[in-house]
Amino acid sequence: MPDASPDTPAVTPIEVRDEDLDVIRYDDDGLVAAIVQDVDTRAVLMLAWMNAETLRMSLEQGRTVFWSRSRQEVWRKGDTSGDRQFIRSAHYDCDGDALLFLVEQEGNGACHTGSYTCWFRSFGSDEESTVRPGPV
Amino acid sequence: MPDASPDTPAVTPIEVRDEDLDVIRYDDDGLVAAIVQDVDTRAVLMLAWMNAETLRMSLEQGRTVFWSRSRQEVWRKGDTSGDRQFIRSAHYDCDGDALLFLVEQEGNGACHTGSYTCWFRSFGSDEESTVRPGPV
């Protein structure tokens, strides 16, 4: 359970509706791509994968829960690192095969390297600054 | 060829470096996920796929070029619709298996439905407004 300290962001579950879930198309491995974006800065933080179970968990718990392809297990983001992601809105695309979560990112960031975003490297440049915009 | 009207955004090729390309990991189909984000509004516009050839074309031409999985052919975004995407920066993630392009989006938007973004639908809500933020 999340602790109840004043600094803990509010958990806001999202209603699970069949009309939404019925649109989602999973690949041959039963997975759908999930993009995570910072609701405050609008920076794109990471891309991971969900199956039907972890998508439902994400909506019900108001936190991102992925399926780890490398470990082949449920991966509730932040349970180990502390860098939890609290979902503020969740969206599915025109084809139903890609998800977008706008989150309040806890801690230093989303990347397992310790970086704020997983996209800290640029083609053709050694600069990192273009990835992270200031707050909107 | 793009026309030369004053309204045509500038094309800015990105240097193709082996040190960047060597990091990219393609899946069993030879593809890597490519997220496209509006450089002005920071809205996430679409998710598509690139192979090694179309990634190189994108960098060299300064426009997004994808591999269409449904049509199994090179798909230079906007050649048919007119809604071209001019790349302002290009990034690869920590694992090298997901790309992020910040683009100047031409026309009405990125989605083949005519919407600005492919994520015009929300889980648990019939509202669309949370996807598109104002300009930063």
Side-chain angles (χ1 to χ4, degrees):
Chain A
M1 291 286 291
D3 68 48
S5 81
D7 293 336
T8 298
V11 172
T12 312
I14 291 174
E15 183 186 357
V16 177
R17 307 187 303 183
D18 286 340
E19 66 194 85
D20 297 325
L21 296 182
D22 289 348
V23 179
I24 309 306
R25 290 165 45 195
Y26 300 92
D27 67 14
D28 292 342
D29 295 320
L31 302 176
V32 61
I35 300 166
V36 182
Q37 183 178 27
D38 188 314
V39 70
D40 294 318
T41 68
R42 302 287 169 172
V44 181
L45 298 176
M46 60 184 287
L47 173 68
W49 299 84
M50 293 183 179
N51 58 18
E53 177 193 9
T54 60
L55 169 56
R56 177 179 286 272
M57 291 172 68
S58 296
L59 299 173
E60 289 177 344
Q61 300 181 16
R63 283 179 50 190
T64 54
V65 186
F66 305 106
W67 178 256
S68 169
R69 296 183 301 175
S70 57
R71 297 193 305 271
Q72 289 287 303
E73 65 181 20
V74 172
W75 163 34
R76 195 164 71 151
K77 176 70 178 165
D79 276 354
T80 303
S81 67
D83 297 333
R84 297 175 292 186
Q85 295 172 334
F86 297 88
I87 300 170
R88 296 295 168 248
S89 65
H91 313 273
Y92 48 97
D93 78 344
C94 51
D95 296 324
D97 63 359
L99 311 179
L100 175 65
F101 293 87
L102 273 70
V103 306
E104 188 170 340
Q105 174 67 57
E106 190 180 46
N108 292 326
C111 187
H112 74 284
T113 64
S115 289
Y116 167 62
T117 166
C118 292
W119 286 276
F120 51 85
R121 295 179 294 187
S122 303
F123 286 98
S125 169
D126 295 324
E127 295 189 19
E128 299 180 12
S129 60
T130 51
V131 174
R132 184 176 186 175
V136 293
Chain B
M1 291 287 290
D3 69 47
S5 80
D7 292 336
T8 299
V11 172
T12 311
I14 291 173
E15 183 185 358
V16 177
R17 308 187 302 183
D18 287 340
E19 66 194 85
D20 296 325
L21 296 182
D22 289 349
V23 180
I24 309 306
R25 291 165 45 194
Y26 300 92
D27 66 15
D28 292 342
D29 295 320
L31 302 177
V32 61
I35 300 166
V36 181
Q37 183 178 25
D38 188 315
V39 71
D40 294 317
T41 67
R42 303 286 169 171
V44 181
L45 298 176
M46 58 184 287
L47 173 69
W49 298 83
M50 293 183 178
N51 58 17
E53 177 194 9
T54 60
L55 169 56
R56 178 179 286 271
M57 292 171 68
S58 296
L59 299 174
E60 289 176 344
Q61 300 181 17
R63 283 180 49 192
T64 52
V65 186
F66 305 105
W67 178 257
S68 170
R69 296 184 301 175
S70 57
R71 299 192 304 271
Q72 289 286 302
E73 64 181 18
V74 172
W75 163 35
R76 195 164 70 150
K77 176 71 180 167
D79 276 355
T80 303
S81 66
D83 297 333
R84 298 174 294 187
Q85 296 173 334
F86 297 88
I87 299 171
R88 296 295 168 247
S89 65
H91 312 274
Y92 48 96
D93 78 344
C94 51
D95 296 324
D97 64 359
L99 311 180
L100 175 65
F101 293 87
L102 274 68
V103 306
E104 188 170 340
Q105 174 67 57
E106 192 180 45
N108 291 327
C111 187
H112 75 284
T113 63
S115 288
Y116 167 62
T117 166
C118 292
W119 286 276
F120 51 85
R121 294 179 293 187
S122 304
F123 286 98
S125 169
D126 294 324
E127 294 189 19
E128 299 180 12
S129 60
T130 50
V131 174
R132 184 176 186 175
V136 292

